[in-house]
Amino acid sequence: MIEGEWLGQKFAFFWSQDQRAWYALAGVDVEAPVGPSSLHITATLNGTGGGKVDLSRSIEIHEAYYNTGTLTVAPKFVAPDPKALARIKAEVELKEKVFAASAPQPLWSGDFRTPVHAAPTDSFGTRRTFNGQLASVHKGMDFRARPGTVVRAGNSGMVVLARRLYYEGNCVVIDHGLGLYTLSMHLSRIDVREGQRVTEGQRLGLSGATGRVTGPHLHWAVRWQNAYLDPAKLLQLDLDGLR
Ligand SMILES: [Zn+2]
């Protein structure tokens, strides 16, 4: 058995399909502090009376440089009224529940694929100011998808959220297991339901412009444990060898 812990998050290792190696996926949040970090890995050996081997190492987190931008959205998205604030609070709690209950084994297999046939933008990590008053970091990848473009599952998994939310608009969250999720936002239409298993490339719905947007696009986010990762990095990983 192998156990890992990094940046305060435990993570699980799994066998490659050919059972020749152990693998784990882990990532760094866009707002993680820069500097050295300790990746703790402990292997418990079979057949040696449970002897443990420490495979820990130091990992340097480097500074990354992202763009800044200003956006204008409807006022209700920067200064929500009390009714909207209550709804937002309930949705935060719902998402916390969803993100605390990932499957204990990988539900994905092989490479992650791009969710839509549309040009991605280099928007991850951008520091944005909404209407000159609300600052936020953009924690996903925006695709310039025309309204009504089919949005597909980036990999296999379980639909754990499929409903309309205040900021996200029509939103589909897929649990890929071991704390890894992909989120598709601002959809005009949802074609899956919560609790449904989906395969890679399966239609989730249509892109749109619901929620806090300046125009039609698909916002696609990758979450691992409590961190939002750069989707471009996940799409670049060669995972087919682990099938
Ligand atoms: Zn976005």
Side-chain angles (χ1 to χ4, degrees):
M1 188 176 81
I2 306 187
E3 290 167 297
E5 189 262 358
W6 189 32
L7 303 167
Q9 300 294 333
K10 283 192 195 312
F11 57 92
F13 283 79
F14 50 90
W15 277 112
S16 61
Q17 211 86 310
D18 62 9
Q19 306 236 324
R20 290 176 65 179
W22 287 97
Y23 287 91
L25 276 181
V28 184
D29 189 79
V30 60
E31 296 189 279
V34 169
S37 68
S38 299
L39 173 66
H40 299 286
I41 303 175
T42 315
T44 308
L45 303 175
N46 292 327
T48 60
K52 288 196 175 197
V53 181
D54 186 359
L55 302 169
S56 298
R57 60 190 60 203
S58 175
I59 303 241
E60 186 78 14
I61 298 172
H62 295 280
E63 197 156 0
Y65 299 94
Y66 298 112
N67 297 324
T68 55
T70 55
L71 293 176
T72 305
V73 292
K76 66 174 182 175
F77 291 118
V78 288
D81 63 27
K83 195 173 156 222
L85 281 173
R87 179 180 166 190
I88 291 162
K89 185 167 172 277
E91 291 176 358
V92 166
E93 286 163 9
L94 170 71
K95 285 180 277 183
E96 274 170 11
K97 231 190 247 173
V98 161
F99 291 132
S102 188
Q105 74 283 345
L107 303 178
W108 57 274
S109 142
D111 290 355
F112 278 73
R113 54 166 280 164
T114 176
V116 77
H117 278 294
T121 61
D122 179 23
S123 54
F124 182 81
T126 304
R127 291 190 180 277
R128 291 169 163 178
T129 310
F130 286 97
N131 300 9
Q133 43 178 313
L134 178 73
S136 82
V137 174
H138 186 247
K139 297 189 173 185
M141 181 184 244
D142 287 342
F143 291 84
R144 287 196 193 94
R146 274 191 214 133
T149 307
V150 175
V151 176
R152 300 185 184 280
N155 210 315
S156 49
M158 166 90 80
V159 176
V160 287
L161 189 147
R163 61 177 78 185
R164 190 167 186 126
L165 303 175
Y166 191 79
Y167 289 119
E168 296 86 345
N170 287 320
C171 178
V172 173
V173 179
I174 300 176
D175 176 21
H176 299 290
L178 300 178
L180 184 67
Y181 299 84
T182 52
L183 297 80
S184 299
M185 301 182 191
H186 314 311
L187 306 178
S188 60
R189 179 193 152 105
I190 296 176
D191 292 320
V192 287
R193 53 187 164 68
E194 292 170 3
Q196 184 180 340
R197 288 293 288 255
V198 290
T199 54
E200 185 210 291
Q202 189 168 332
R203 176 176 163 152
L204 304 178
L206 300 176
S207 71
T210 54
R212 187 177 68 186
V213 296
T214 55
H217 71 283
L218 171 68
H219 175 104
W220 197 57
V222 173
R223 185 179 164 112
W224 176 70
Q225 309 284 24
N226 293 326
Y228 280 98
L229 313 182
D230 184 352
K233 299 277 196 303
L234 181 67
L235 292 172
Q236 282 158 13
L237 285 181
D238 179 9
L239 302 169
D240 277 344
L242 309 186
R243 278 183 199 271

